[in-house]
Amino acid sequence: MNEFDLIDKYFRNCGAPRADVPLGIGDDAALLACPPGEHLVAAVDTLVEGIHFPAGSPPESIGHRALAVNLSDMAAMGALPAWALLALTLPSIEETWVQKFTKGFGELARRHNVSLVGGDTTKGPLTVSVQIMGFIPIGQALLRSGGKPGDLLFISGTLGDAAAGLNIQDSEGEKNYLKKRFQFPEPRIELGQRLRPFASACIDVSDGLLGDAGKLAAASACGVEIDWETLPVSRQLLAFAGEERARVLALTGGDDYELCFAVRPENLEALERQLPARQWGYTRTGQLRAQHGAVVKRAGNVMDFSHSGYDHFGP
Amino acid sequence: MNEFDLIDKYFRNCGAPRADVPLGIGDDAALLACPPGEHLVAAVDTLVEGIHFPAGSPPESIGHRALAVNLSDMAAMGALPAWALLALTLPSIEETWVQKFTKGFGELARRHNVSLVGGDTTKGPLTVSVQIMGFIPIGQALLRSGGKPGDLLFISGTLGDAAAGLNIQDSEGEKNYLKKRFQFPEPRIELGQRLRPFASACIDVSDGLLGDAGKLAAASACGVEIDWETLPVSRQLLAFAGEERARVLALTGGDDYELCFAVRPENLEALERQLPARQWGYTRTGQLRAQHGAVVKRAGNVMDFSHSGYDHFGP
């Protein structure tokens, strides 16, 4: 089976069909119809074997994550995703691997009505780069830069699960839960869109909360203070790692793909009324402040974190 | 220098500034303003070290080619390129390498008014994936599928130079010319746009004319006949490889990034009047025919080519 047969069999109908794709996979480029009155939102994220996922990871997970990390960028902008391109570099064509990869990618794509409109399949070390495109009404995007001192800081879901799950092989109890949180993260697409009227700034937590909240604060020309005690951690992570380590993972572990967002105090009531925290599963865990930098406060004292987030070229 | 400093210093101002980029590099995604009445045209192409370019290639060439191969896809659609995203996977950060890479990428980008609006820098084996976006007035795109039997086949520029130049180290005379043709291909952006009223079908020659003309013909539900005698080859390739080998390279060598296009006989006069071949440097070298498959005719006889084009997973 060569590259072209592979594309026909597994990629052509992998994503959702959409009426705004006059020409999809198969020509030199795709033709796409952008809706009037909206901005196109575009991002790219790459997963490299041995760096972003362990060698030998299940292909369904690699396909799911490659799209999920990009959908998460759409969520962080408050955007509605629409189209994806896939640049897949593979050491060799193993049909079973490709079938499972496209199953993982395709199920998530169809669930979010995302069409796979093009791509490139090349030979080389396993690397998956997805380019995602979506829309947002002009002026409504959630930027990192809209925060200001006094804004309250919120996190969706729980943090630290994926970092704990990264190297878990077991499939029992809380270990299975944590493993799945790494392998099949759920991008917060709907929450991101609903946050448009309420959030002053937003970022997705891909590299660890301390680092990513720090980036949001820096883009907003301020600093951030995170509360140790209110960090949202799952009961599975608490059972697996104990409270101390669970909270450290919540602060510094990557790959959660939850949303970290800021809300002006005057919008808090509207947020809680229209997007009840109990229903939407987010937690208030700090605030922006004038003093630059990202700090964690525990029982009123600033904690020392030398390890702040994840630098892809770090040690 | 970490990932974030690198992006600030070398990538932020690498491409052309454009008024239709309300938000470029630096947030979770870029915001882009699509022109009304046009389709968005999107494609992705990846270069892997050791597969698409020799290990140790000049970084300027890698940067140039990574964008050029994508611009060539825009040219093949008749599209006007606008924005690019860059997924760059690097074994380590070497500032000099990155500086030279962005010089090669940036010079070509600015020449074609392309803005680098986002990207992702990751650690791993050297892989460069570029996603390009451009525009075309609705209904005017050059597809592979518009040809029909009797259409005349044309090629821009000359073929085979890049394949000959791939492994040349010398910098003298025709060898230098061929080497540069591999290292710094010129995408036929302007020609592609001007061909909109005349070409019935178009593809760019990335994997070898025989294979790519065959793809155009197959998409057009017909076959193609290529004339051996009229294949456009450069005097430098003739001097380097001799006539026989030069024409074989023209048929089967990849990486030329010239345009292969079909024109209905009744449009020939208008094409020659409005885009004189002498000025635009294209050559008629065959025609589409009803019988499927791609064949080469030499002195009236069909030649045998077992090696038809370039399959990335082939031997």
Side-chain angles (χ1 to χ4, degrees), chain A residues 132-146:
Chain A
I132 188 88
M133 290 171 277
F135 319 119
I136 191 145
I138 292 172
Q140 293 187 27
L142 302 177
L143 308 187
R144 294 181 182 178
S145 54

PDB file of all heavy atoms in Angstrom, chain A residues 132-146:
ATOM      1  N   ILE A 132      -4.871  23.656  12.667  1.00  0.00           N
ATOM      2  CA  ILE A 132      -6.310  23.756  12.886  1.00  0.00           C
ATOM      3  C   ILE A 132      -6.798  25.154  12.490  1.00  0.00           C
ATOM      4  O   ILE A 132      -6.083  26.133  12.665  1.00  0.00           O
ATOM      5  CB  ILE A 132      -6.651  23.451  14.362  1.00  0.00           C
ATOM      6  CG1 ILE A 132      -8.156  23.343  14.590  1.00  0.00           C
ATOM      7  CG2 ILE A 132      -6.051  24.502  15.294  1.00  0.00           C
ATOM      8  CD1 ILE A 132      -8.688  21.975  14.363  1.00  0.00           C
ATOM      9  N   MET A 133      -7.982  25.200  11.918  1.00  0.00           N
ATOM     10  CA  MET A 133      -8.588  26.483  11.568  1.00  0.00           C
ATOM     11  C   MET A 133     -10.014  26.517  12.110  1.00  0.00           C
ATOM     12  O   MET A 133     -10.710  25.500  12.079  1.00  0.00           O
ATOM     13  CB  MET A 133      -8.602  26.668  10.053  1.00  0.00           C
ATOM     14  CG  MET A 133      -7.211  26.887   9.469  1.00  0.00           C
ATOM     15  SD  MET A 133      -7.189  26.840   7.642  1.00  0.00           S
ATOM     16  CE  MET A 133      -7.117  25.062   7.384  1.00  0.00           C
ATOM     17  N   GLY A 134     -10.406  27.673  12.592  1.00  0.00           N
ATOM     18  CA  GLY A 134     -11.753  27.838  13.104  1.00  0.00           C
ATOM     19  C   GLY A 134     -12.184  29.287  12.940  1.00  0.00           C
ATOM     20  O   GLY A 134     -11.507  30.068  12.275  1.00  0.00           O
ATOM     21  N   PHE A 135     -13.300  29.638  13.564  1.00  0.00           N
ATOM     22  CA  PHE A 135     -13.841  30.987  13.397  1.00  0.00           C
ATOM     23  C   PHE A 135     -14.189  31.589  14.749  1.00  0.00           C
ATOM     24  O   PHE A 135     -14.503  30.877  15.700  1.00  0.00           O
ATOM     25  CB  PHE A 135     -15.142  30.977  12.590  1.00  0.00           C
ATOM     26  CG  PHE A 135     -15.134  30.052  11.441  1.00  0.00           C
ATOM     27  CD1 PHE A 135     -16.049  28.999  11.368  1.00  0.00           C
ATOM     28  CD2 PHE A 135     -14.219  30.208  10.427  1.00  0.00           C
ATOM     29  CE1 PHE A 135     -16.057  28.138  10.298  1.00  0.00           C
ATOM     30  CE2 PHE A 135     -14.215  29.346   9.351  1.00  0.00           C
ATOM     31  CZ  PHE A 135     -15.140  28.307   9.281  1.00  0.00           C
ATOM     32  N   ILE A 136     -14.219  32.897  14.756  1.00  0.00           N
ATOM     33  CA  ILE A 136     -14.754  33.616  15.907  1.00  0.00           C
ATOM     34  C   ILE A 136     -15.322  34.942  15.405  1.00  0.00           C
ATOM     35  O   ILE A 136     -14.722  35.575  14.535  1.00  0.00           O
ATOM     36  CB  ILE A 136     -13.675  33.830  16.990  1.00  0.00           C
ATOM     37  CG1 ILE A 136     -14.322  34.338  18.263  1.00  0.00           C
ATOM     38  CG2 ILE A 136     -12.579  34.791  16.531  1.00  0.00           C
ATOM     39  CD1 ILE A 136     -13.689  33.842  19.500  1.00  0.00           C
ATOM     40  N   PRO A 137     -16.505  35.340  15.929  1.00  0.00           N
ATOM     41  CA  PRO A 137     -17.026  36.649  15.530  1.00  0.00           C
ATOM     42  C   PRO A 137     -15.984  37.736  15.828  1.00  0.00           C
ATOM     43  O   PRO A 137     -15.323  37.692  16.876  1.00  0.00           O
ATOM     44  CB  PRO A 137     -18.274  36.820  16.412  1.00  0.00           C
ATOM     45  CG  PRO A 137     -18.694  35.416  16.749  1.00  0.00           C
ATOM     46  CD  PRO A 137     -17.406  34.648  16.856  1.00  0.00           C
ATOM     47  N   ILE A 138     -15.846  38.682  14.900  1.00  0.00           N
ATOM     48  CA  ILE A 138     -14.807  39.715  15.028  1.00  0.00           C
ATOM     49  C   ILE A 138     -14.951  40.446  16.356  1.00  0.00           C
ATOM     50  O   ILE A 138     -16.043  40.856  16.736  1.00  0.00           O
ATOM     51  CB  ILE A 138     -14.887  40.681  13.825  1.00  0.00           C
ATOM     52  CG1 ILE A 138     -14.465  39.918  12.556  1.00  0.00           C
ATOM     53  CG2 ILE A 138     -14.019  41.913  14.034  1.00  0.00           C
ATOM     54  CD1 ILE A 138     -14.670  40.692  11.263  1.00  0.00           C
ATOM     55  N   GLY A 139     -13.836  40.564  17.079  1.00  0.00           N
ATOM     56  CA  GLY A 139     -13.823  41.291  18.346  1.00  0.00           C
ATOM     57  C   GLY A 139     -14.141  40.454  19.570  1.00  0.00           C
ATOM     58  O   GLY A 139     -14.055  40.940  20.694  1.00  0.00           O
ATOM     59  N   GLN A 140     -14.484  39.179  19.368  1.00  0.00           N
ATOM     60  CA  GLN A 140     -14.877  38.368  20.534  1.00  0.00           C
ATOM     61  C   GLN A 140     -13.822  37.355  20.992  1.00  0.00           C
ATOM     62  O   GLN A 140     -14.059  36.590  21.930  1.00  0.00           O
ATOM     63  CB  GLN A 140     -16.187  37.627  20.233  1.00  0.00           C
ATOM     64  CG  GLN A 140     -17.373  38.579  20.078  1.00  0.00           C
ATOM     65  CD  GLN A 140     -18.695  37.822  19.961  1.00  0.00           C
ATOM     66  OE1 GLN A 140     -18.847  36.711  20.463  1.00  0.00           O
ATOM     67  NE2 GLN A 140     -19.668  38.432  19.306  1.00  0.00           N
ATOM     68  N   ALA A 141     -12.663  37.326  20.338  1.00  0.00           N
ATOM     69  CA  ALA A 141     -11.650  36.328  20.700  1.00  0.00           C
ATOM     70  C   ALA A 141     -11.154  36.533  22.133  1.00  0.00           C
ATOM     71  O   ALA A 141     -11.026  37.661  22.609  1.00  0.00           O
ATOM     72  CB  ALA A 141     -10.481  36.392  19.728  1.00  0.00           C
ATOM     73  N   LEU A 142     -10.879  35.425  22.805  1.00  0.00           N
ATOM     74  CA  LEU A 142     -10.268  35.470  24.138  1.00  0.00           C
ATOM     75  C   LEU A 142      -8.754  35.517  23.958  1.00  0.00           C
ATOM     76  O   LEU A 142      -8.149  34.548  23.500  1.00  0.00           O
ATOM     77  CB  LEU A 142     -10.650  34.223  24.932  1.00  0.00           C
ATOM     78  CG  LEU A 142     -12.139  33.962  25.137  1.00  0.00           C
ATOM     79  CD1 LEU A 142     -12.353  32.641  25.882  1.00  0.00           C
ATOM     80  CD2 LEU A 142     -12.780  35.116  25.907  1.00  0.00           C
ATOM     81  N   LEU A 143      -8.152  36.618  24.321  1.00  0.00           N
ATOM     82  CA  LEU A 143      -6.701  36.751  24.179  1.00  0.00           C
ATOM     83  C   LEU A 143      -6.018  36.501  25.521  1.00  0.00           C
ATOM     84  O   LEU A 143      -6.647  36.559  26.573  1.00  0.00           O
ATOM     85  CB  LEU A 143      -6.351  38.156  23.677  1.00  0.00           C
ATOM     86  CG  LEU A 143      -7.091  38.618  22.416  1.00  0.00           C
ATOM     87  CD1 LEU A 143      -6.519  39.946  21.937  1.00  0.00           C
ATOM     88  CD2 LEU A 143      -7.008  37.567  21.321  1.00  0.00           C
ATOM     89  N   ARG A 144      -4.732  36.245  25.466  1.00  0.00           N
ATOM     90  CA  ARG A 144      -3.961  36.142  26.708  1.00  0.00           C
ATOM     91  C   ARG A 144      -3.802  37.514  27.348  1.00  0.00           C
ATOM     92  O   ARG A 144      -3.550  37.628  28.542  1.00  0.00           O
ATOM     93  CB  ARG A 144      -2.571  35.586  26.400  1.00  0.00           C
ATOM     94  CG  ARG A 144      -2.571  34.162  25.902  1.00  0.00           C
ATOM     95  CD  ARG A 144      -1.143  33.687  25.656  1.00  0.00           C
ATOM     96  NE  ARG A 144      -1.137  32.328  25.117  1.00  0.00           N
ATOM     97  CZ  ARG A 144      -0.033  31.664  24.774  1.00  0.00           C
ATOM     98  NH1 ARG A 144       1.159  32.240  24.919  1.00  0.00           N
ATOM     99  NH2 ARG A 144      -0.108  30.437  24.306  1.00  0.00           N
ATOM    100  N   SER A 145      -3.920  38.539  26.528  1.00  0.00           N
ATOM    101  CA  SER A 145      -3.474  39.869  26.948  1.00  0.00           C
ATOM    102  C   SER A 145      -4.548  40.747  27.578  1.00  0.00           C
ATOM    103  O   SER A 145      -4.283  41.902  27.891  1.00  0.00           O
ATOM    104  CB  SER A 145      -2.895  40.596  25.726  1.00  0.00           C
ATOM    105  OG  SER A 145      -3.850  40.602  24.671  1.00  0.00           O
ATOM    106  N   GLY A 146      -5.753  40.210  27.781  1.00  0.00           N
ATOM    107  CA  GLY A 146      -6.836  41.076  28.247  1.00  0.00           C
ATOM    108  C   GLY A 146      -6.970  41.192  29.758  1.00  0.00           C
ATOM    109  O   GLY A 146      -7.827  41.933  30.248  1.00  0.00           O
TER     110      GLY A 146
END
